Amino acid sequence: MNLLPIPWMKQKLEVLYETNLYGNLYIMYTDLNFKNYTNITTSILLDLLEDYNINVDRNSPLYIYLPLELDAFTRDLIVNFKSLFKENLCIILGGYKNKFNNETELDIVENLYIKYPQLNNIIDYAFLIDDSKCYEIFTSLSDTQRVYIKPESSCTISGVTLNYHLKSLNPNNTNHLAFVSLMDDCENGNFLDCYIKGFTNNNNNFNYNL
């Protein structure tokens, strides 16, 4: 399990979405060779947060953004995070509208509760957004950090721009963790196509400086 602080991406999002963002932004991801999932423990999560000096309490809430298309790993990630921080944590699930046809956020979450009953009533928010910024975010990460995420994973990073009700007197104390999926070797052939789409999608400035 890895965390990567990306303060420059917060600046990029502010430009792309024309909004002001609060707090600190990180991406969270697992190693590509992490295929045989067995268990994730609360101690692993605590150690990870401690490594980055991330404190979670009433004045420093934690917002975690995950894809609506959950699997066993992300399900257990939610359960363990919620058991640690309870009311000081917001679990937010997101996806792109074009992948969910005519389903609403409520429909999708209700289906998740049926599939994963242990998640019942612990999801705080869900969102569906347009994928117009997907490739800008994907390409920006690959150019600046050499982090090659699946383009659809950028929906979790975009979720930060929705500015959910921050549970803090000082919203700058908020930490945002966006869980993303990395491209694996079998997807390398698609990388150039994804990159070109991002590079030509009316935004070809992916530098640190804005």
Side-chain angles (χ1 to χ4, degrees):
M1 179 71 79
N2 300 279
L3 276 186
L4 176 67
I6 46 173
W8 56 270
M9 177 57 80
K10 190 175 76 165
Q11 294 178 300
K12 179 64 69 177
L13 290 170
E14 288 181 323
V15 173
L16 289 176
Y17 287 95
E18 299 180 347
T19 187
N20 293 321
L21 303 179
Y22 300 102
N24 307 303
L25 177 60
Y26 303 80
I27 57 172
M28 172 185 283
Y29 57 95
T30 59
D31 295 327
L32 282 175
N33 59 4
F34 191 69
K35 297 296 185 182
N36 298 316
Y37 168 64
T38 54
N39 189 32
I40 184 166
T41 64
T42 54
S43 62
I44 290 174
L45 299 179
L46 287 172
D47 289 344
L48 185 67
L49 296 179
E50 184 178 347
D51 287 344
Y52 288 87
N53 298 313
I54 297 175
N55 180 54
V56 183
D57 57 28
R58 184 174 63 86
N59 294 316
S60 302
L62 181 63
Y63 283 61
I64 300 181
Y65 306 81
L66 296 113
L68 278 163
E69 297 168 298
L70 295 179
D71 55 20
F73 177 80
T74 47
R75 173 204 63 195
D76 289 355
L77 193 62
I78 291 172
V79 171
N80 279 283
F81 263 122
K82 202 69 173 183
S83 70
L84 284 172
F85 303 117
K86 300 178 176 63
E87 68 273 9
N88 298 319
L89 171 76
C90 276
I91 300 293
I92 302 162
L93 305 184
Y96 287 118
K97 294 176 183 177
N98 64 326
K99 295 192 69 175
F100 288 93
N101 299 319
N102 295 320
E103 292 181 277
T104 67
E105 293 93 328
L106 181 60
D107 293 334
I108 298 167
V109 171
E110 288 296 329
N111 289 334
L112 287 175
Y113 288 161
I114 294 171
K115 185 175 182 179
Y116 303 117
Q118 57 270 68
L119 299 182
N120 195 34
N121 297 322
I122 66 173
I123 305 300
D124 295 285
Y125 302 101
F127 66 88
L128 291 174
I129 57 175
D130 185 78
D131 66 357
S132 60
K133 307 296 191 299
C134 167
Y135 293 100
E136 282 87 342
I137 295 170
F138 159 81
T139 311
S140 184
L141 278 168
S142 63
D143 279 1
T144 57
Q145 300 289 149
R146 298 297 182 262
V147 174
Y148 304 102
I149 69 168
K150 296 180 181 180
E152 60 269 21
S153 285
S154 65
C155 67
T156 61
I157 299 173
S158 294
V160 181
T161 65
L162 297 175
N163 282 329
Y164 294 95
H165 303 295
L166 297 180
K167 298 180 180 178
S168 174
L169 296 177
N170 180 2
N172 286 313
N173 288 343
T174 300
N175 289 300
H176 303 273
L177 272 58
F179 185 88
V180 299
S181 298
L182 301 183
M183 283 191 168
D184 56 30
D185 291 340
C186 68
E187 294 170 305
N188 285 344
N190 297 327
F191 174 77
L192 184 58
D193 287 342
C194 294
Y195 186 91
I196 294 299
K197 285 180 181 178
F199 194 69
T200 58
N201 196 12
N202 300 319
N203 184 347
N204 61 0
N205 177 15
F206 301 112
N207 298 319
Y208 286 97
N209 300 320
L210 300 171

